[in-house]
Amino acid sequence: MSAHLEIAVPDVLERGHREAPPCAFVVFGATGDLTHRKLLPAIYNLALDGTLPEACAMVGVARTELTDERYRADLREAVEKFSRRPLDDKVWSDFSKRVYYVAGAFDDAETFRRLDQRLTELDRAHALRGNRLFYLAIPPGVFETVLTHLHDGGMIQPPHGERFTRVIIEKPFGRDLASAKELNALVGKLLDESQAFRIDHYLGKETVQNIMVFRFANSLFEPLWNRKYIDYVEITAAETVGVGSRGRFYDANGVLRDIVQNHLLEVLSLVAMEPPNGAAADEIRDEKLKVLRALRIPWDDTIERDVRVGQYRGYRGEPGVAKDSVTPTYAALRVYIDNWRWQGVPFYLRAGKMLKRRVTEVSLFTQQIPLSLFGNHEVCERIDPNVITLRIQPDEGIKVRFASKVPGHDVAVASVTMDMKYAEAFGGAPPEAYERLLLDAMRGDATLFSRRDAVEASWAWIDPIIEYFEKQPPKDFPNYEPGSWGPESCQELMRRDRRSWQLL
Ligand code: BG6
């Protein structure tokens, strides 16, 4: 069954066309994977849409010696390979004239002197009005060096007045509460919080943004969105890929730091938050923060009961991974939110690599009906609960499952599903997360970026869980086969509550 959609969204269209002001977009880590795979294709797609301001220049900064011409050629290849839409020669030729490169080490003040000089020239050449958006696409170990040089080199303007300076900081934002606080303190010393854009690319996904629209632009669902009607909630982020070439990085972090602390908790807080007073960045971020602060604190005995971890067979042979690694590549958790709305409703979260299907989705299961009018008591037990599924990716959409009479002379009840697919409703694939996030950072809209207090709240919650498994590493690793749904113990986490994961 599919949904018929009438599309009339003037407000959204208006918001979508808010123009970005002129600026220089400066990427540290200009020759890295993130720049090639995500940032550059995102900027190029914005240019293709005509959303990028006319007065805009991109400056790559990295150690490798390259000319502007050579860098442009590299980027062209990246667009050809990774852009969601094919390269258009005319758009590329206009865009690439605004791409520049500065070579130098990040710990050398001379690099920053040359960068400043280049930016001053570009301000004049492209009428950039002195606006600067810096992107730290570099390992966290170098954040401090780069930020301090930018500051000492006079490239960070205070947030008042006509010009803006903003800094986008890539995850991981710390590796525990203490290091996140340290990094936040450094950022707080050199920047105003309004200038710091901590990126979690999940927030830029269309379907993640739609969680709020689905909840707060419909009167149909929100009344159900609480402990009275919802029995439990499931959030899955499953990947089919392994760690690929990121073995070294991943082995030092694992799934709890890589996905749960950020992406899963961001999604969870959007699903569970109270309606904000308005759509301003801080009104929304205040409500999300309240969810994180209401998460039930994990203790050793509850971690043992409510958290399962796994590692896929073959992980220890991946390049960069220790032969005896005990880093988890899979985690399943039962989590409670101790507030008025959600008290007693379990949220089951799971994330992992090398699983059977790539799927990220949120499902809310309603309570059983109180009494079956169609047959005896057992029938009532057998009628599946209603489920609202928000499919974040792939095959983006929303599904609602409900019971229906099976046509015929007797009364038989079956579950049917109403399925809205973005591709059918709106046509084409949604934009990439980084497109929206870069545009928002240029516009100065921090709604989809993580705030200092929320980052600290999420580490405060997850730290005891990470410590627990670091102190007593699981002895049964590797404990799941690539291409499966994870270790058997994670099924048991649901089974003992007389439930099972929706996708198995
Ligand atoms: C990143 C993680 O943040 O998100 C990766 O570091 C993971 O390990 C990726 O593969 C998943 O993102 P997406 O958008 O492909 O779901």
Side-chain angles (χ1 to χ4, degrees), residues 21-23 123 127-132 157-166 195 442-444:
C23 76
D123 274 342
L128 304 178
R129 298 197 206 145
N131 291 333
R132 286 157 191 193
Q157 301 286 326
H160 329 290
E162 305 250 297
R163 303 160 154 210
F164 72 72
T165 310
R166 298 181 189 129
Q195 297 176 293
M442 288 178 185
R443 292 157 164 171

Side-chain angles (χ1 to χ4, degrees), residues 296-308 334:
R296 188 174 297 171
I297 296 171
W299 300 101
D300 278 6
D301 53 341
T302 54
I303 296 171
E304 189 183 339
R305 196 187 58 205
D306 291 341
V307 185
R308 300 283 178 271
R334 185 176 67 171

Side-chain angles (χ1 to χ4, degrees), residues 239-265:
E239 297 181 83
T240 47
V241 292
V243 292
S245 57
R246 294 164 73 232
R248 231 159 95 85
F249 163 81
Y250 192 89
D251 206 37
N253 290 285
V255 67
L256 291 167
R257 289 190 176 96
D258 189 47
I259 302 279
V260 182
Q261 178 268 336
N262 35 75
H263 304 330
L264 279 197
L265 289 188

Side-chain angles (χ1 to χ4, degrees), residues 133-181:
L133 176 62
F134 296 105
Y135 199 117
L136 307 189
I138 48 179
V142 227
F143 286 172
E144 179 164 3
T145 314
V146 170
L147 280 178
T148 310
H149 276 302
L150 282 176
H151 180 264
D152 295 353
M155 276 180 273
I156 297 183
Q157 301 286 326
H160 329 290
E162 305 250 297
R163 303 160 154 210
F164 72 72
T165 310
R166 298 181 189 129
V167 182
I168 304 183
I169 305 171
E170 253 303 324
K171 81 181 247 288
F173 205 79
R175 51 176 289 107
D176 53 18
L177 179 58
S179 54
K181 277 187 168 169

